[in-house]
Amino acid sequence: MSTSQNGMTEENTGHVSIVVVGASGDLAKRKTFPALFYLFQNGLLPGNCTLVGFARTKYTHEQFRHFIMERLTCRVGMGGEKCADFIQSFLAQTFYISGMYDSDDSFQELDAFLKTR
């Protein structure tokens, strides 16, 4: 077992999907997605990681990316252009599915989306 550049072992480099339930809420916007971005910019998420927000609010992928983008900040000392590149890379791996929490159909739609990633 070898270790990759970002510290992930080969054993741990399979595709990872992280689903944030309640993703259109204030907690996800202020805390969860900024924390995930911190992990991403420090190389602590695998490069093939997909982030999926799931909530009742009707958003497109782009609308959701805009919703979370305003709270993403880079660590001190990172230049503006490099920071912008990190944010764009992070957002390119971020998607959104709208659904009801008590609906089997909504979770089947989420499952179908995850299988395409």
Side-chain angles (χ1 to χ4, degrees):
M1 176 172 25
S2 66
T3 303
S4 70
Q5 190 173 25
N6 68 358
M8 300 294 290
T9 61
E10 284 182 20
E11 183 178 314
N12 296 331
T13 57
H15 187 84
V16 174
S17 295
I18 298 173
V19 177
V20 178
V21 178
S24 64
D26 190 56
L27 178 64
K29 180 180 180 178
R30 289 186 309 108
K31 299 292 184 179
T32 306
F33 281 98
L36 289 168
F37 180 66
Y38 175 84
L39 294 173
F40 174 81
Q41 73 176 346
N42 286 287
L44 299 172
L45 292 179
N48 57 350
C49 180
T50 300
L51 305 167
V52 181
F54 180 82
R56 294 175 296 188
T57 303
K58 301 284 186 196
Y59 281 136
T60 64
H61 298 307
E62 285 303 317
Q63 289 170 326
F64 181 69
R65 290 172 184 141
H66 181 74
F67 170 76
I68 63 171
M69 183 173 61
E70 60 192 45
R71 288 295 188 151
L72 302 181
T73 58
C74 293
R75 64 183 183 263
V76 174
M78 181 177 287
E81 189 172 312
K82 188 173 182 181
C83 179
D85 290 344
F86 266 107
I87 289 173
Q88 289 309 310
S89 294
F90 178 79
L91 293 175
Q93 296 176 210
T94 305
F95 301 91
Y96 184 80
I97 300 295
S98 177
M100 302 303 291
Y101 303 126
D102 60 352
S103 167
D104 289 343
D105 290 342
S106 293
F107 282 96
Q108 288 173 1
E109 181 183 347
L110 175 62
D111 181 55
F113 180 80
L114 291 171
K115 287 178 180 175
T116 68
R117 301 282 150 216

